[in-house]
Amino acid sequence: CRESLAAYLEQNPTPVSDAEWASAVAVSRALAAECTRNHEALLPRMGSAESARDMDRVRAALGVEQVSYLGFSYGTALGASYARLFPERVRAMVLDGAIDPGFDLLTFVAEQAEAVEAALLAWDEAALREGWHGIAELESVYARAKSAPIPSAAGGRAAQAGDVLYGSVEAVIEPVSGWRELALALDAALRGDGGAFVRLADRYFRRRSDGTSGLRVDAQLAVLCADLHRPASPDAYRAALPQIERRAPHIGSANLTSFLPCAFWPEPARRPEPLRDVPGERILVLAGRDDPLTPHAWGERLARAARRAHEAGKPV
């Protein structure tokens, strides 16, 4: 869905006014419409359950009765889906940076935003200790970029509000080297050079020079929109904004707005079934205490589900 992708990546990430929200809705609707035009038959089959069935075809082609599986990040959702559908075919499974896709989109957005917010606060504490610019300066630079893009001294694309916000996220998820990058980017931006934020944001999205993304943001959306139980109206997303912003003042609005295309997705989301009848203690769930992208709470939730499934599967 590449024709609409650039506008989606460059949109105002924190719409406030009616006009800003209307623009976000239009961008999201256009992306969903292009995806539907190009891939209408494929989109309903982009969920993790369908991929898990594909994975079982691979197992069958290899001629083995059971699989051993290692999944990272969203690969953990694929592993959990496989265990749901084919519990008897799991020999051993490690799910690292765990995501349980069996909850709703608004919960997913809020909990992830809270984890990123915690990472921002950890960086701000380090900035105070090190004498760097911190959150107050970041808010100032973000407001400036939202008013008018900050030029890059070396030429090229100017830093827009989204570059500042997602560039900051890219930096804070990599302590301590990323923290120093963010401090330097802020120092440059305060002097009128937004180039460092452009580079950080491009790294976050793996954005190429032609505007496309190596991250395949459109494919990510297709999977998430299929996996997560989600509101079917953009009005429900806007109604959820105040609560999410209270939980994560700097990133909550942007995280929710990034999922707005799901409101226009052609197929309703199907809530995945819970784990059941997993034979024996065959799933190890790993979760980092301060992981900002796959929060610790998700790992705890998936581990509890696996434990309940194991207990339910024990012979009486």
Side-chain angles (χ1 to χ4, degrees):
C1 320
R2 293 185 176 180
E3 291 180 10
S4 306
L5 193 58
Y8 170 79
L9 294 178
E10 294 170 7
Q11 70 176 324
N12 173 5
T14 53
V16 177
S17 68
D18 288 346
E20 289 174 336
W21 183 255
S23 176
V25 167
V27 167
S28 296
R29 191 192 303 273
L31 181 60
E34 184 187 357
C35 288
T36 303
R37 277 196 313 274
N38 294 344
H39 308 288
E40 186 170 12
L42 176 63
L43 290 184
R45 297 172 174 82
M46 283 292 287
S48 293
E50 286 75 13
S51 294
R53 293 186 181 96
D54 292 342
M55 193 165 82
D56 198 58
R57 294 292 186 93
V58 175
R59 176 206 58 79
L62 292 172
V64 296
E65 292 298 317
Q66 293 183 313
V67 299
S68 301
Y69 179 84
L70 170 62
F72 298 98
S73 192
Y74 214 82
T76 65
L78 174 57
S81 294
Y82 188 86
R84 284 187 178 99
L85 293 168
F86 308 105
E88 73 283 358
R89 294 174 190 164
V90 176
R91 190 201 71 82
M93 187 171 282
V94 177
L95 306 177
D96 186 357
I99 297 173
D100 177 9
F103 51 93
D104 66 83
L105 185 148
L106 296 181
T107 301
F108 182 98
V109 165
E111 291 181 346
Q112 187 179 62
E114 280 185 315
V116 176
E117 193 77 24
L120 274 170
L121 293 175
W123 160 74
D124 189 52
E125 291 174 2
L128 182 64
R129 291 194 305 269
E130 299 291 338
W132 300 335
H133 296 302
I135 281 182
E137 289 79 14
L138 178 60
E139 291 171 348
S140 175
V141 167
Y142 180 77
R144 177 177 174 182
K146 193 171 181 180
S147 174
I150 303 171
S152 296
R157 187 163 57 84
Q160 302 185 61
D163 295 310
V164 174
L165 189 141
Y166 291 112
S168 300
V169 174
E170 172 66 22
V172 299
I173 63 178
E174 290 291 343
V176 169
S177 61
W179 289 359
R180 294 194 182 98
E181 282 189 277
L182 181 52
L184 291 170
L186 275 175
D187 185 63
L190 289 167
R191 290 184 282 104
D193 178 8
F197 276 112
V198 170
R199 291 188 292 275
L200 282 168
D202 284 352
R203 197 165 80 205
Y204 179 86
F205 288 112
R206 300 179 198 169
R207 188 155 34 195
R208 305 183 184 98
S209 58
D210 63 358
T212 60
S213 171
L215 195 60
R216 290 312 307 269
V217 174
D218 45 359
Q220 280 192 342
L221 274 171
V223 174
L224 286 161
C225 293
D227 275 358
L228 301 177
H229 185 70
R230 64 186 192 272
S233 163
D235 294 337
Y237 289 73
R238 194 174 191 186
L241 274 175
Q243 181 183 6
I244 289 176
E245 286 175 334
R246 282 193 296 272
R247 295 174 68 171
H250 295 93
I251 196 66
S253 175
N255 209 31
L256 181 60
T257 302
S258 70
F259 285 95
L260 190 53
C262 293
F264 306 103
W265 225 244
E267 291 288 327
R270 292 156 292 170
R271 189 185 293 276
E273 295 180 6
L275 284 167
R276 55 182 172 78
D277 301 331
V278 178
E281 294 177 344
R282 298 184 177 181
I283 300 178
L284 174 63
V285 178
L286 304 177
R289 179 68 64 183
D290 298 315
D291 186 339
L293 298 183
T294 53
H296 193 269
W298 294 355
E300 291 178 322
R301 185 179 292 128
L302 185 55
R304 285 195 299 270
R307 187 163 55 248
R308 284 196 301 269
H310 167 57
E311 294 296 329
K314 282 183 176 179
V316 176

